[in-house]
Amino acid sequence: MKKILSVLLILIFWLLPVFAQKASFEGIKQRQSPQNPRLGFVIHGGAGVISRANLTPEKEAEYRKKLEEAVLAGYKALQDGKTSLDAVETAIRIMEDSPLFNAGKGAVFTNDGKNELDSSIMDGKTLAAGAVAGLRHVKNPITLARAVMEKSEHVMMVGDGAEKFAKEMKIELVPEKYFWTAERWDSLQKILKEEKEAKDKKKGTVSQNEPENFLMKNPVYAQMTETEKLPPNRFGTVGAIALDKNGNLAAGTSTGGMTNKKYGRVGDAPIIGAGTFANNNTCAVSATGWGEYFIRLGVARDISAMMEYRALPVQQAADAEIKKVGDLGGDGGVIAMDKFGNIGISFNSEGMYRAFINSEGKPVVEIYKD
Ligand code: ASP
């Protein structure tokens, strides 16, 4: 009798996770509505130190306006019957052309004062993908990433070779000065100055009474949280994810990387599986944040894997992934969407520029945590 009981107990413990997983799958299925195929569209404009204290009402209005324009343009593409890839490219191009974001015009500067742009795109239907990195003259890197996916036999092209391919594809090239903006240039100068001061201080060349650096002289500094005090060398990357009328998912990301990055550094944005991933069976993801951490965790693919192997709903998978990023010491955020149009947004930074189309087909723009 005892033996039978213990065998039964073992069986129950063994089967419990299987049933739990099945129940969770059913949960996802219930949200599907084949009679009413749902279009889905979400964008982000980067995560980082964005708080009400450091964003003027005018600047905030500018961001909101541009995010709304981009999310509506992508959604319109979907309403017009275009593909999820078209919608992603459309919205990202708008943000690349705006100096507000760290992508295309307005990209941040490398340590040696250049702009080096990265981008990628992925088709959830075919798992085809295209990525580019280290571009210096391509006006819209997302369009080149898409050309790599659709018109070359490769997935990733970098530097001069990628630009040679852009020329062959007749994709618009611009002089390096096109990407220059005063705000990004000042950010680089500020960081370089702080770095130098920190170095000098270490060498003992700064007197004891002198404040640590000019940032600390600012009265606002004393009221800032520890996160706000971090150097403003990131973020502002842009990304988009879409679900079209045929149920196909797509994801894309575009960035100038991180201010003061060493020449040649490549972040997560152009790495398929880190900054961008799409699979019709699971989800589409675009990430933003401290790229080194996102690469090491394979963030976008890991979210998909959690949905595939553990049947986690998209929001839970996104939250679990951002927790992993935080536990490792990184920060940033993700936008994700499953094949039914359910949205998952998660970030551990002060804010993340983001916008999506809600279930009534209306645009919603958000910036802060609350
Ligand atoms: N993830 C980007 C990078 O590391 C930066 C960002 O998202 O702002 O290049």
Side-chain angles (χ1 to χ4, degrees):
M1 188 64 190
K2 254 189 181 173
K3 246 189 184 170
I4 295 175
L5 240 153
S6 47
V7 168
L8 255 171
L9 268 173
I10 289 170
L11 256 174
I12 287 171
F13 276 115
W14 188 67
L15 284 174
L16 213 62
V18 178
F19 283 128
Q21 176 141 348
K22 192 158 186 305
S24 190
F25 262 129
E26 293 307 319
I28 289 179
K29 264 192 211 151
Q30 276 159 22
R31 287 194 289 273
Q32 189 174 20
S33 161
Q35 299 80 4
N36 180 18
R38 182 165 160 198
L39 304 177
F41 198 59
V42 189
I43 60 172
H44 70 77
V49 186
I50 315 162
S51 67
R52 287 185 176 88
N54 60 18
L55 197 62
T56 63
E58 297 75 38
K59 254 280 163 323
E60 179 177 334
E62 275 182 60
Y63 273 106
R64 287 187 180 277
K65 202 168 154 223
K66 202 36 98 178
L67 286 165
E68 187 171 308
E69 179 191 334
V71 82
L72 282 173
Y75 188 54
K76 166 127 194 347
L78 296 173
Q79 286 176 310
D80 290 347
K82 298 208 173 116
T83 66
S84 48
L85 287 167
D86 293 331
V88 163
E89 186 186 357
T90 300
I92 289 184
R93 281 182 67 105
I94 290 172
M95 292 188 282
E96 284 177 340
D97 289 345
S98 162
L100 291 173
F101 302 100
N102 170 21
K105 184 163 183 70
V108 299
F109 285 92
T110 60
N111 175 268
D112 58 355
K114 306 265 185 216
N115 304 106
E116 292 181 353
L117 314 174
D118 305 334
S119 182
S120 64
I121 193 163
M122 186 159 182
D123 181 353
K125 182 182 172 196
T126 59
L127 301 191
V132 285
L135 309 176
R136 291 200 171 158
H137 303 91
V138 177
K139 183 166 174 273
N140 293 106
I142 190 70
T143 297
L144 184 58
R146 188 169 178 185
V148 169
M149 174 175 79
E150 291 176 343
K151 296 175 183 146
S152 86
E153 60 274 37
H154 307 301
V155 167
M156 190 167 198
M157 294 174 81
V158 304
D160 293 344
E163 297 205 329
K164 190 173 169 190
F165 180 64
K167 222 178 268 172
E168 283 169 20
M169 292 294 114
K170 303 204 171 11
I171 284 172
E172 188 173 357
L173 299 173
V174 287
E176 286 183 42
K177 68 173 188 298
Y178 165 82
F179 299 106
W180 195 94
T181 57
E183 204 173 311
R184 301 300 189 191
W185 183 252
D186 292 348
S187 292
L188 175 67
Q189 301 317 313
K190 189 170 161 183
I191 290 172
L192 291 178
K193 188 166 179 233
E194 282 169 18
E195 262 187 8
K196 185 173 177 303
E197 281 168 354
K199 239 190 222 161
D200 288 349
K201 199 181 167 217
K202 234 184 180 172
K203 278 194 236 146
T205 52
V206 172
S207 88
Q208 242 11 49
N209 300 332
E210 213 169 304
E212 283 210 308
N213 59 47
F214 76 97
L215 182 69
M216 293 177 80
K217 285 185 199 158
N218 187 336
V220 177
Y221 187 82
Q223 294 154 24
M224 285 162 96
T225 64
E226 284 314 307
T227 336
E228 283 169 335
K229 283 178 189 167
L230 286 173
N233 62 343
R234 38 203 160 85
F235 308 127
T237 293
V238 305
I241 50 177
L243 174 67
D244 65 27
K245 69 171 199 298
N246 296 319
N248 292 321
L249 288 166
T253 311
S254 184
T255 189
M258 290 167 73
T259 306
N260 196 27
K261 66 184 180 181
K262 292 286 178 299
Y263 21 84
R265 176 264 189 189
V266 174
D268 60 315
I271 309 288
I272 296 300
T276 302
F277 193 73
N279 180 344
N280 275 3
N281 292 326
T282 53
C283 62
V285 181
S286 172
T288 172
W290 197 336
E292 277 67 11
Y293 291 90
F294 283 65
I295 293 174
R296 288 155 63 196
L297 285 167
V299 159
R301 169 77 181 101
D302 200 31
I303 291 175
S304 167
M306 281 192 269
M307 293 178 66
E308 187 174 352
Y309 307 143
R310 291 175 54 200
L312 281 195
V314 67
Q315 182 64 59
Q316 255 170 269
D319 287 341
E321 191 61 34
I322 290 303
K323 183 168 181 320
K324 289 188 196 180
V325 171
D327 289 348
L328 203 62
D331 54 0
V334 291
I335 53 170
M337 185 160 49
D338 69 18
K339 55 185 170 178
F340 312 116
N342 297 306
I343 294 170
I345 295 178
S346 195
F347 56 98
N348 66 357
S349 47
E350 292 282 313
M352 178 161 90
Y353 295 109
R354 56 202 189 275
F356 59 90
I357 300 294
N358 69 13
S359 48
E360 276 111 57
K362 296 272 173 296
V364 178
V365 178
E366 293 173 346
I367 298 178
Y368 310 110
K369 231 177 213 153
D370 44 13

